[in-house]
Amino acid sequence: MARALEITVVPLTVSLKKESYLDGIDLTADQFYDKLRQSDVLPTTSQPSPADFIGVYQDLQAKGEGIVSIHISQKLSGTYNSALLGRTAVQKTSRIEVIDSLSCSMGLGLVVIQAARLAKSGASIDQVVEATNKAIDRAHFFGTVDTLEYMHKGGRIGKAQALLGTLLSIKPILCVRDGEAHPYGKERTRKKAINRVFEIVQGYKAIRDITVLHSTAPDEAAALTERLVPVVGRDKIIQSRIGPVIGSYLGPGTIAVGILEGAD
């Protein structure tokens, strides 16, 4: 989809056992989760440098009237700040709008997809920026993780800290709100947690786009997708994968859903 919509992706880096990999370039999701299962240390992640953004912005500035640069929540990553620093070196020769999506993974992805579709349709940069800011308010990302261990030890647990005291007896349901993780609920079993995710989707009345993601649970993700077809229609569902950087904090066994509200 990124290639088809001419979206430029600036990858984050994941490091495991002293080896560093660019997410989606040097390491696939399958390779990462295999390494994660075999490792006795948790992975670490790092944002692109300002120099990375300078290079990307310089490459792109001759291709249009400006650049809309949309990023993972600054409460979860330093990527947004790197983009701002990169912009200062280039903005004299090109208009660059740097936007915090207040989300991650395909919560961010659905916002970017809409912005790219608008840009390809001939919308002005002002129109794209306005639509992007409105889409951020209508984007939702939630799901169930097998354990909060990865988020807790990785320092990304946010408001979901409140669930830690009952870790042994629950399967947590989390959402991203205001740019960080929040508790959405809890269930006694994994099956009930996935059912609850399905029920949350049913609560949205106007779904423009929806994505079903997993880290290492393709069969459960496929089953959830099939359950959602009568609810939202197959053509609106994007099946996706939680990659190495976000997977470093969500861990194996995660099932998640991203939604963009709004009429077609």
Side-chain angles (χ1 to χ4, degrees):
M1 291 190 74
R3 286 192 297 270
L5 292 171
E6 298 180 82
I7 297 166
T8 299
V9 179
V10 183
L12 278 71
T13 298
V14 60
S15 299
L16 193 60
K17 287 191 172 181
K18 299 182 180 180
E19 296 290 335
S20 295
Y21 310 90
L22 291 175
D23 190 336
I25 296 176
D26 301 327
L27 188 70
T28 67
D30 282 335
Q31 289 169 335
F32 167 72
Y33 290 114
D34 286 344
K35 290 178 181 293
L36 184 62
R37 290 189 185 99
Q38 297 166 17
S39 176
D40 53 0
V41 296
L42 290 177
T44 58
T45 61
S46 57
Q47 70 265 23
S49 69
D52 292 328
F53 282 104
I54 290 171
V56 169
Y57 293 156
Q58 288 175 334
D59 288 342
L60 292 175
Q61 62 185 350
K63 298 180 180 179
E65 64 172 296
I67 298 166
V68 181
S69 191
I70 311 168
H71 302 290
I72 183 174
S73 167
Q74 60 182 307
K75 293 181 181 179
L76 299 174
S77 169
T79 301
Y80 175 79
N81 288 326
S82 286
L84 289 177
L85 291 170
R87 180 179 69 175
T88 61
V90 184
Q91 63 182 353
K92 291 182 180 179
T93 55
S94 182
R95 179 180 173 184
I96 303 171
E97 297 286 344
V98 179
I99 299 174
D100 182 348
S101 74
L102 299 178
S103 193
C104 64
S105 186
M106 282 297 283
L108 159 64
L110 292 178
V111 172
V112 173
I113 287 168
Q114 175 169 290
R117 286 171 175 164
L118 274 173
K120 283 184 73 67
S121 73
S124 69
I125 187 170
D126 287 325
Q127 290 172 321
V128 173
V129 169
E130 180 182 7
T132 297
N133 287 323
K134 289 180 179 178
I136 288 170
D137 292 333
R138 296 184 285 107
H140 310 279
F141 187 68
F142 53 90
T144 182
V145 297
D146 210 38
T147 173
L148 289 172
E149 174 189 2
Y150 295 94
M151 292 179 68
H152 178 50
K153 292 183 177 179
R156 301 299 196 280
I157 197 163
K159 303 298 183 182
Q161 180 85 21
L163 292 174
L164 280 175
T166 53
L167 267 182
L168 295 178
S169 59
I170 65 160
K171 291 298 179 186
I173 301 168
L174 308 175
C175 68
V176 177
R177 188 168 69 248
D178 300 324
E180 63 183 330
H182 283 253
Y184 204 116
K186 54 187 178 181
E187 296 291 344
R188 293 290 180 183
T189 67
R190 181 172 177 82
K191 182 178 179 179
K192 288 182 178 180
I194 295 175
N195 284 340
R196 179 63 184 134
V197 170
F198 174 71
E199 291 168 359
I200 293 169
V201 175
Q202 290 182 301
Y204 289 98
K205 302 305 180 185
I207 295 177
R208 184 187 183 101
D209 290 305
I210 180 171
T211 179
V212 177
L213 307 95
H214 73 94
S215 57
T216 59
D219 292 342
E220 288 173 315
L224 178 58
T225 297
E226 289 306 311
R227 291 178 68 186
L228 288 171
V229 169
V231 178
V232 299
R234 189 176 297 277
D235 61 327
K236 289 186 177 181
I237 302 175
I238 302 168
Q239 297 183 66
S240 188
R241 188 80 183 274
I242 296 169
V245 167
I246 299 299
S248 296
Y249 303 105
L250 298 183
T254 297
I255 295 287
V257 170
I259 285 176
L260 184 64
E261 289 184 278
D264 289 330

